[in-house]
Amino acid sequence: MSETVVRSQRRGPVAVVTMNRPDYRNAQNSAMTYALDDAFTDAVNDPEVKVIVLAGAGKHFSAGHDIGTPGRDVDVPFDRRAVMWWDHTDRVGGDQRFARESEVYLGMCRRWREIPKPMIAGIQGACIAGGLMLAWVCDLIVASDDAFFADPVVRMGIPGVEYFAHPWVLGPRAAKEVLFTGERFTVQQAKEWGMVTRIVPRAELEERTLELAEKIAGMPSFGLALAKKAVNQAEDLMGLRSGMDSVFGLHHFAHAHNAETSEDSLGGQSARSMRDANKEA
């Protein structure tokens, strides 16, 4: 695991996994993806760990996918884990993008959602686009009172991020409002829609998240694993998995359309333009 982009610490029965690119608002590159997977795997394999907490270093939880930092590594090969498609680095066009995003985004998020130990996201500040995916694979979300959220990728002509859980996490009407406007939504709205479990003062986020994790850790591990699987299976019966598959196809159709009609597959948008538009919303 790379200590540069992800830190992991045992706190009694709780493994705290922290994204550690604060200078880039914890933007998720491939290196971070695989470092997270290493940390989660270690936590699953450690019998003393009962609960996993996912956190972000610095002011913000995550600004989403890395689409413009010096650490962007879209062309770098890694040992694949999800293996939903072949390696992307020797492919071109839509094949390349579909291969990479099947592995790094959709595949890894599905892999993490199925982790047999409870996962809690502790969120402060921004949780944007791909940051929502990282939060949504967790079973519970504790958010600070300064947290805010958005999925503004419709500005790119794309119908939401790759791990498309919006209608199940937010409800259909709220999902449409979030996507149609691209606007930020507050932590209070997220709580009202059922996405956030608890809202706490910013200064108490770590303490209160660990408090909840330690309470859950007192339950039998096997019972927790079965309860998690039961709820996940119910969500899948409600169409989450098949719906996500269908929207992943639309997502890549949008990338292909952008590549044919604009300067790139992101519709000419950059990290800066997306951030500036989000500030104005």
Side-chain angles (χ1 to χ4, degrees):
M1 182 185 67
S2 172
E3 291 294 332
T4 302
V5 293
V6 169
R7 293 185 281 108
S8 187
Q9 179 186 24
R10 270 279 305 281
R11 302 284 292 271
V14 180
V16 180
V17 177
T18 304
M19 296 177 284
N20 191 37
R21 300 186 75 203
D23 291 345
Y24 302 109
R25 303 198 300 170
N26 296 315
Q28 180 195 2
N29 58 8
S30 294
M32 176 181 282
T33 298
Y34 289 101
L36 285 171
D37 193 66
D38 287 340
F40 293 152
T41 299
D42 289 345
V44 170
N45 290 336
D46 186 342
E48 300 300 315
V49 170
K50 307 299 183 184
V51 180
I52 302 167
V53 168
L54 176 62
K59 186 177 179 181
H60 300 288
F61 177 77
S62 177
H65 299 336
D66 186 345
I67 60 172
T69 83
R72 192 174 187 222
D73 50 12
V74 294
D75 297 321
V76 179
F78 289 83
D79 291 333
R80 290 168 297 128
R81 313 286 173 80
V83 198
M84 287 176 59
W85 213 255
W86 43 67
D87 181 67
H88 71 284
T89 53
D90 61 347
R91 306 286 171 160
V92 296
D95 186 357
Q96 181 184 70
R97 183 174 291 275
F98 189 88
R100 179 173 185 268
E101 294 192 355
S102 293
E103 164 73 12
V104 177
Y105 298 141
L106 179 61
M108 295 296 265
C109 282
R110 280 186 170 170
R111 176 180 168 91
W112 299 337
R113 175 180 178 254
E114 299 302 324
I115 283 173
K117 297 183 179 182
M119 293 180 63
I120 305 173
I123 296 176
Q124 80 283 0
C127 180
I128 307 298
L132 291 173
M133 295 167 47
L134 297 172
W136 288 349
V137 300
C138 295
D139 305 294
L140 303 175
I141 296 175
V142 179
S144 64
D145 50 15
D146 69 341
F148 59 92
F149 310 88
D151 185 359
V153 299
V154 171
R155 289 198 177 92
M156 297 177 172
I158 297 170
V161 290
E162 296 87 348
Y163 185 82
F164 190 84
H166 307 59
W168 293 270
V169 174
L170 304 173
R173 293 282 187 268
K176 288 177 181 177
E177 180 175 337
V178 166
L179 291 167
F180 290 177
T181 66
E183 293 178 348
R184 294 180 179 183
F185 57 99
T186 66
V187 69
Q188 289 80 16
Q189 287 173 303
K191 179 73 161 59
E192 179 183 336
W193 292 335
M195 173 183 144
V196 165
T197 312
R198 301 183 181 188
I199 301 174
V200 301
R202 174 67 182 88
E204 299 175 18
L205 177 62
E206 181 179 6
E207 176 187 356
R208 300 279 289 276
T209 304
L210 283 170
E211 184 181 273
L212 177 59
E214 288 165 359
K215 183 174 184 178
I216 293 169
M219 300 291 278
S221 293
F222 189 54
L224 288 169
L226 292 179
K228 175 170 180 170
K229 181 173 283 291
V231 176
N232 282 0
Q233 287 176 339
E235 279 191 306
D236 288 340
L237 288 169
M238 296 175 197
L240 185 148
R241 189 177 184 87
S242 58
M244 199 174 286
D245 280 337
S246 66
V247 178
F248 192 64
L250 296 176
H251 180 98
H252 282 275
F253 175 64
H255 277 311
H257 176 75
N258 284 341
E260 289 191 29
T261 61
S262 65
E263 60 188 80
D264 58 33
S265 62
L266 301 180
Q269 295 286 343
S270 65
R272 180 178 294 278
S273 69
M274 293 290 284
R275 184 171 63 247
D276 291 347
N278 191 251
K279 285 178 180 179
E280 294 169 2

